[in-house]
Amino acid sequence: MFKRHFASLGGDTIKAIFLVCLAVGVVAVSYGSLAMAYGFPLWVPLALSMLVLAGASEFMFIGIVASGGNPLAAAVAGLLVNARHVPFGVTVRELVGTRAVSLLGCHIMNDESVVFGLSQPTPEQRKAAYWLCGLGVALLWPAGVLIGASVGKLLPAPETIGLDAVFPAILLALVLPALKKRTTFVRASSGAVLSLAAVPFAPVGLPVLLSLLGLLTRKK
């Protein structure tokens, strides 16, 4: 069934999806390397890469725990980062399939698969692009983690090559377009200030949760 749907995609679209999935795999190498360098056993990043399949929240989880934070706070922070998946799910409800297939369809929902799925001109192409990209990410993300884990064992200090900066760079790339709106900018800035102010006093992982109070800021 999927082979027939994939055939509806043009060569340029398939190439673009392949390149994006490849880039995701490269980021996964950084994630696996960082997790190993921080002392996590292999099963932790590997299990997260297959079961969570959400890069930003996975980077946040290992970063908070590696800094001495509570794993529960790290998990909650990861859920907040992925809160955007709620509107994603509403938008792509016709692309994920039905019945048992929809469970897999929801699992492979990510920024990349949603963008490619919604950008196609016909319903058949939208579904094909969504699934092709989603499955590609689901395969290359854990594969990249395995490769990165092998590399990470050889790195005594991940910050020497900038691996510790990968996660902040990813989040910054995600939020920059949204900051063009004044209200969003004011609330995000307020949350960032609150979070930074709480760092000297709050346990690791809690400041990022306190940044949610920035949502209460009103535009004057």
Side-chain angles (χ1 to χ4, degrees), residues 8-185:
S8 66
L9 295 175
D12 291 341
T13 300
I14 294 176
K15 180 181 179 180
I17 290 175
F18 171 76
L19 292 176
V20 167
C21 291
L22 185 61
V24 168
V26 172
V27 176
V29 172
S30 299
Y31 168 60
S33 301
L34 194 61
M36 291 297 99
Y38 280 164
F40 285 91
L42 174 60
W43 70 266
V44 173
L46 187 59
L48 290 173
S49 68
M50 292 187 294
L51 300 176
V52 179
L53 195 59
S57 63
E58 293 175 46
F59 270 105
M60 175 172 283
F61 182 87
I62 66 169
I64 292 176
V65 174
S67 300
N70 188 300
L72 181 59
V76 173
L79 287 173
L80 293 175
V81 170
N82 282 337
R84 66 188 186 282
H85 285 201
V86 175
F88 280 179
V90 175
T91 306
V92 301
R93 62 186 181 279
E94 297 179 355
L95 306 181
V96 299
T98 57
R99 298 178 183 178
V101 176
S102 65
L103 296 177
L104 177 60
C106 291
H107 184 60
I108 64 173
M109 181 178 61
N110 50 59
D111 299 316
E112 295 82 9
S113 62
V114 170
V115 168
F116 275 108
L118 297 179
S119 63
Q120 305 307 309
T122 69
E124 185 179 31
Q125 290 175 326
R126 284 194 289 271
K127 190 169 186 178
Y130 175 86
W131 277 88
L132 183 59
C133 185
L135 290 174
V137 170
L139 291 174
L140 289 180
W141 183 256
V145 170
L146 285 174
I147 296 173
S150 301
V151 176
K153 293 179 181 178
L154 306 176
L155 296 175
E159 63 274 8
T160 58
I161 60 173
L163 284 180
D164 56 332
V166 171
F167 168 64
I170 291 174
L171 279 188
L172 183 62
L174 287 173
V175 303
L176 276 178
L179 296 181
K180 294 179 180 179
K181 296 182 179 179
R182 179 174 174 80
T183 300
T184 303
F185 177 78

